[in-house]
Amino acid sequence: MSLKDQIGEDIKAAMKSKDKIRLETVRSIKKLLLEKEVSVRPAGQEALTEEQEMEVLVQLAKQRRDSIEQYRQAKREDLASQEAQELAIIEEYLPQQMSDEEVSAIIDQIIAQAGATTAKDMGKVMGPAMQQLKGKTDGKKVQEMVKAKLNS
């Protein structure tokens, strides 16, 4: 089942169960996917690729994580809680997230391949790391790990 079909089914299920947060979240995902699909049509592409769908979902998840952080800093736990619920729903559509150990092993491998030794080599590592780990873990976590490994 394609992501688009899955989202359509989930909207119906959320409407039947009267799950307001799930319904709003899934509708927002559908809206952004449709907007992205319309934006690629002038290039002759009829539908989104799986990678483009993942980009939209990763972007939504990142926005929610940033919002949660900002709401918690502003002592607005009610809003942070709602964003966390939305994030959990978005993450259901993302691939299984990798553990810190798996991410660390991949970063070590990339550092060895790139021959990176200092913080100045961070660019050599971040590009390939994000390409390999996109959608599988949080980019901020990757950046922190790379920075820690190159500074030690």
Side-chain angles (χ1 to χ4, degrees):
M1 180 182 285
S2 74
L3 180 63
K4 206 173 184 180
D5 295 338
Q6 178 67 43
I7 287 175
E9 292 299 316
D10 289 349
I11 287 174
K12 289 177 195 173
M15 289 170 81
K16 286 179 183 176
S17 67
K18 296 182 178 19
D19 186 345
K20 185 179 176 188
I21 290 178
R22 179 172 288 279
L23 180 62
E24 288 175 5
T25 304
V26 176
R27 278 184 172 161
S28 73
I29 294 169
K30 183 177 180 178
K31 175 183 170 270
L32 283 170
L33 286 171
L34 288 172
E35 286 175 1
K36 179 83 170 180
E37 195 172 287
V38 168
S39 74
V40 298
R41 283 191 187 141
Q45 189 177 341
E46 285 299 313
L48 294 177
T49 63
E50 212 173 293
E51 187 175 294
Q52 289 170 323
E53 291 172 342
M54 282 304 121
E55 282 177 18
V56 171
L57 293 171
V58 167
Q59 175 190 6
L60 281 169
K62 182 180 184 320
Q63 288 172 346
R64 294 306 184 285
R65 285 185 193 100
D66 291 345
S67 295
I68 290 168
E69 192 176 308
Q70 290 174 0
Y71 286 141
R72 289 203 169 123
Q73 287 174 356
K75 307 280 191 260
R76 292 295 310 263
E77 201 54 46
D78 55 327
L79 295 173
S81 172
Q82 181 174 342
E83 292 288 326
Q85 290 174 329
E86 291 177 13
L87 176 61
I89 293 166
I90 292 166
E91 286 178 338
E92 291 174 14
Y93 298 101
L94 287 169
Q96 181 67 37
Q97 298 292 294
M98 296 177 88
S99 70
D100 288 351
E101 293 81 25
E102 293 171 314
V103 173
S104 181
I106 290 173
I107 291 172
D108 288 339
Q109 183 182 10
I110 293 170
I111 288 173
Q113 288 174 348
T117 55
T118 66
K120 290 181 182 179
D121 298 326
M122 193 158 169
K124 292 179 186 176
V125 177
M126 282 303 294
M130 288 312 298
Q131 192 172 21
Q132 197 169 345
L133 297 168
K134 189 171 193 153
K136 298 175 186 169
T137 191
D138 184 33
K140 196 179 281 186
K141 185 192 301 182
V142 174
Q143 183 181 16
E144 289 169 1
M145 287 181 153
V146 170
K147 195 179 287 185
K149 288 178 183 292
L150 292 178
N151 285 334
S152 58

